[in-house]
Amino acid sequence: MREQNIEKLFKDTFSNFEADVNPSVWSNIEQGLPASPQHIPGSSPVAKPSGFFGKISLNTIVLVAAISATIIGTTLYFSSQKPTSQNILAQQVQAQPQVMKDNSIAVSKAAPVTSLSNAPVGGSKNVAEKQTAAKAKEKVYLNQPPRQAPSEAKTENVSNANSVQVSVEKPSSPEPVNVVAPQHTSSSLQKMAIENNQQQASKTSALPSVENPVATAAPSNKVPATHEATPGSEEQFHFFVPNVFTPNGDGLNDNLKPVSNYNVKEYELTIFDRYGFEIFKSKDIDFSWDGKLKNGEEATEAVYVYIIKLVDFNDEEHNYMGYVALLK
Amino acid sequence: MNEPVHMVDEELIRSCLSGDRNAQKVLFDKYTRRMMGICMRYAPSREEAEDMLQEGWIKVFRNLHSFRFEGSAEGWIKRIMVNTCLETLRKNKKMANQVELDDVYESVYTEINSADFMSAKELLKLIHKLPSGYRTVFNLFAIEGYSHKEIAAMLSITENTSKSQYSRARMHLQRMLLLENA
């Protein structure tokens, strides 16, 4: 008899059963997958930062490193040499009165002299010396504690000093950059430091991300353009009520939502069961029926009647009546 | 015989893991028809089978890194497919324990061609006529070869439910086949 063979029959038939696949499935899957990570490895030519960004990031990293070194150097120096620093400053002021007209000149002149950065700071102080020597001394003292917030004039000086230092002290260590630099520098410098951090981070994690901002920025700029191209200007009022909905909580068609192409001014939806009892009423088009009775219980799977009265944007009245099937 | 196949799969999967879209496509093309066959058995309709297939493949590619290159790739993919099918069915609340519709049977006997030899397509038709719960258990037990204990755990039903669902499904198919060949 066949009885014993049913399993065999089905198993034999289906163990290698194949079925045609709609070609669209693959494209759907492709969309569901994360973007192809083929370009991630650093060996890829695409990953090489393009000239401008590459230079910027390199330069800025060096810059931040130099800034931090300068700040540490100055604070260390002045904290260890409180009594003599004033004299040194005064000497330097006399020795180089015209240096600070151009920072780059200051650099080239100051650089050979100093290994630990007191001269550039002194040089930057020259700007401040246009005020008074006494004030300059005060500032020197104020700069001693690393965490003291500097005033406007002082921050300018410091930033000058920093930018001066940059090209001088390239090989200093980049470690303390993130901690020290933002506290001492003016806002523009902070921005640079932040940029640096980002670029450093991106450089260490994945090279192509330097380029990514460009790549992602381009499509996002294009998106609004496509949206602008849809100004529908038909004056006809359309209204649509689905004839089925499925309040089973799966997020799809859980509510009975009539759709209109224009806002309605007045709206009234009433739902009746097959015995003519009113089971739902709404005066807001956005307050749609969720398939529940007035007592909160779920309505059974059945066909219900709706009556909708509304006034459209042209003050025209419409009445709709129809049937809607509730499925779960 | 199986060795070279596995080797090929292994290479394929490694390139899939490195994010090679083409390798993914090759893997997909290689097994998708068979996987569609599985989904067709579980899903009540072709559309739903395609949804399951799609969902299943996405899971395969997302979890490819957890494939340990021990068993066959096909078996691994197949298991993911079956689990996806079960999950989808559960989500759609068309699961085994909800089905107790003895009245549905009558409609089942129509439109089957009488022939001794039955093609997979026709058998599939019969399977589709089973209530969803019976179909699931029958698939898992008779074709996939899981035990009732495993099925009970997979569907969170009792072992006895699995057994009774299976015997009902079997009885059902048998009646259809007999009627078919009468």
Side-chain angles (χ1 to χ4, degrees):
Chain A
M1 206 37 206
R2 266 207 130 85
E3 288 187 28
Q4 299 307 314
N5 295 333
I6 284 191
E7 286 90 351
K8 193 175 182 312
L9 171 69
F10 278 92
K11 189 156 191 172
D12 290 350
T13 312
F14 287 116
S15 57
N16 286 319
F17 177 59
E18 295 187 344
D20 293 335
V21 177
N22 192 328
S24 69
V25 171
W26 170 248
S27 54
N28 289 340
I29 291 169
E30 226 174 350
Q31 283 172 14
L33 292 175
S36 174
Q38 275 166 309
H39 299 304
I40 275 184
S43 59
S44 160
V46 190
K48 219 175 180 179
S50 59
F52 182 66
F53 284 102
K55 278 177 196 165
I56 285 278
S57 64
L58 267 181
N59 286 343
T60 42
I61 289 165
V62 171
L63 178 76
V64 169
I67 289 166
S68 60
T70 314
I71 289 162
I72 292 167
T74 44
T75 48
L76 277 177
Y77 178 79
F78 284 116
S79 57
S80 62
Q81 302 206 13
K82 273 179 202 171
T84 54
S85 63
Q86 299 166 16
N87 300 334
I88 292 171
L89 247 186
Q91 287 169 9
Q92 285 171 345
V93 167
Q94 288 163 4
Q96 306 175 336
Q98 79 281 27
V99 165
M100 282 311 293
K101 282 174 188 170
D102 186 343
N103 280 340
S104 58
I105 295 173
V107 173
S108 56
K109 289 188 178 175
V113 182
T114 61
S115 61
L116 239 186
S117 76
N118 55 8
V121 171
S124 75
K125 290 298 170 219
N126 289 346
V127 179
E129 294 308 335
K130 286 170 188 168
Q131 303 167 359
T132 62
K135 273 187 184 176
K137 288 166 199 166
E138 281 174 21
K139 281 168 200 159
V140 171
Y141 278 115
L142 280 172
N143 273 336
Q144 282 174 11
R147 284 180 187 80
Q148 195 159 355
S151 71
E152 284 300 313
K154 275 173 274 168
T155 51
E156 269 181 20
N157 289 338
V158 173
S159 63
N160 278 342
N162 289 334
S163 57
V164 166
Q165 275 304 94
V166 168
S167 46
V168 183
E169 295 194 352
K170 279 191 179 181
S172 50
S173 92
E175 290 303 317
V177 170
N178 303 342
V179 187
V180 185
Q183 287 171 341
H184 281 268
T185 52
S186 62
S187 61
S188 65
L189 246 159
Q190 274 180 334
K191 273 184 208 160
M192 284 164 68
I194 291 166
E195 280 171 16
N196 278 331
N197 289 343
Q198 289 168 346
Q199 283 170 348
Q200 272 179 326
S202 64
K203 202 183 179 192
T204 50
S205 63
L207 275 173
S209 61
V210 173
E211 221 177 50
N212 277 348
V214 187
T216 51
S220 69
N221 286 339
K222 282 173 193 166
V223 170
T226 57
H227 277 285
E228 285 166 7
T230 56
S233 60
E234 47 169 331
E235 289 291 304
Q236 186 79 33
F237 181 75
H238 290 291
F239 192 74
F240 170 71
V241 187
N243 60 5
V244 62
F245 76 118
T246 56
N248 54 8
D250 67 355
L252 301 169
N253 303 312
D254 278 343
N255 290 34
L256 175 65
K257 281 185 192 155
V259 189
S260 67
N261 60 341
Y262 285 100
N263 287 340
V264 294
K265 287 184 176 169
E266 283 174 39
Y267 173 88
E268 186 182 275
L269 160 75
T270 318
I271 304 227
F272 302 89
D273 67 10
R274 69 169 102 171
Y275 305 110
F277 292 115
E278 184 192 297
I279 55 173
F280 179 80
K281 196 174 189 106
S282 163
K283 297 208 167 187
D284 181 354
I285 196 164
D286 292 321
F287 177 50
S288 51
W289 189 32
D290 57 2
K292 292 206 171 117
L293 304 174
K294 282 184 173 170
N295 62 8
E297 282 177 20
E298 288 185 4
T300 52
E301 274 195 345
V303 175
Y304 296 87
V305 176
Y306 64 80
I307 292 179
I308 295 171
K309 295 175 185 171
L310 60 83
V311 177
D312 73 10
F313 65 108
N314 279 334
D315 288 345
E316 234 174 273
E317 266 194 42
H318 298 267
N319 288 309
Y320 301 92
M321 195 207 103
Y323 302 96
V324 58
L326 188 161
L327 300 176
K328 285 182 180 174
Chain B
M1 213 27 211
N2 277 339
E3 195 70 1
V5 178
H6 285 186
M7 286 299 288
V8 170
D9 275 352
E10 189 174 332
E11 271 170 38
L12 201 55
I13 287 174
R14 289 205 193 281
S15 18
C16 287
L17 278 172
S18 70
D20 185 346
R21 201 28 70 76
N22 291 330
Q24 289 175 343
K25 177 83 165 81
V26 171
L27 188 72
F28 173 83
D29 284 340
K30 188 169 176 187
Y31 291 119
T32 199
R33 284 178 57 80
R34 199 160 284 185
M35 296 308 140
M36 184 65 182
I38 291 172
C39 294
M40 285 286 278
R41 277 192 285 116
Y42 284 89
S45 70
R46 194 182 167 85
E47 288 72 34
E48 291 182 56
E50 261 166 20
D51 285 351
M52 289 172 180
L53 183 76
Q54 189 176 314
E55 189 87 0
W57 273 111
I58 289 175
K59 269 190 210 164
V60 166
F61 288 125
R62 290 233 168 111
N63 297 303
L64 212 53
H65 55 85
S66 61
F67 180 62
R68 287 194 224 120
F69 299 97
E70 284 164 5
S72 79
E74 184 181 353
W76 186 77
I77 296 171
K78 196 173 148 184
R79 213 159 54 237
I80 290 182
M81 269 320 150
V82 170
N83 284 334
T84 310
C85 291
L86 296 181
E87 203 174 282
T88 312
L89 288 172
R90 201 178 300 136
K91 252 189 231 158
N92 294 347
K93 292 186 185 170
K94 285 170 184 167
M95 219 39 237
N97 30 12
Q98 295 174 342
V99 184
E100 209 58 59
L101 297 172
D102 286 51
D103 347 332
V104 194
Y105 292 8
E106 272 141 30
S107 63
V108 151
Y109 300 116
T110 54
E111 60 172 276
I112 301 167
N113 305 325
S114 64
D116 214 13
F117 170 77
M118 296 197 71
S119 69
K121 211 175 169 185
E122 285 164 320
L123 287 179
L124 195 65
K125 235 183 209 171
L126 294 186
I127 286 185
H128 278 170
K129 294 199 169 172
L130 290 173
S132 177
Y134 295 0
R135 184 173 59 233
T136 309
V137 174
F138 185 82
N139 272 326
L140 288 171
F141 187 85
I143 302 172
E144 254 74 59
Y146 288 101
S147 72
H148 281 303
K149 203 171 179 181
E150 287 170 312
I151 296 171
M154 286 163 96
L155 303 180
S156 30
I157 56 178
T158 68
E159 213 175 316
N160 280 334
T161 310
S162 173
K163 279 180 191 167
S164 75
Q165 296 248 353
Y166 174 69
S167 72
R168 282 178 190 226
R170 193 171 172 283
M171 218 167 65
H172 215 79
L173 288 168
Q174 206 176 310
R175 274 162 72 188
M176 286 194 276
L177 282 168
L178 283 175
L179 202 87
E180 166 82 8
N181 296 319

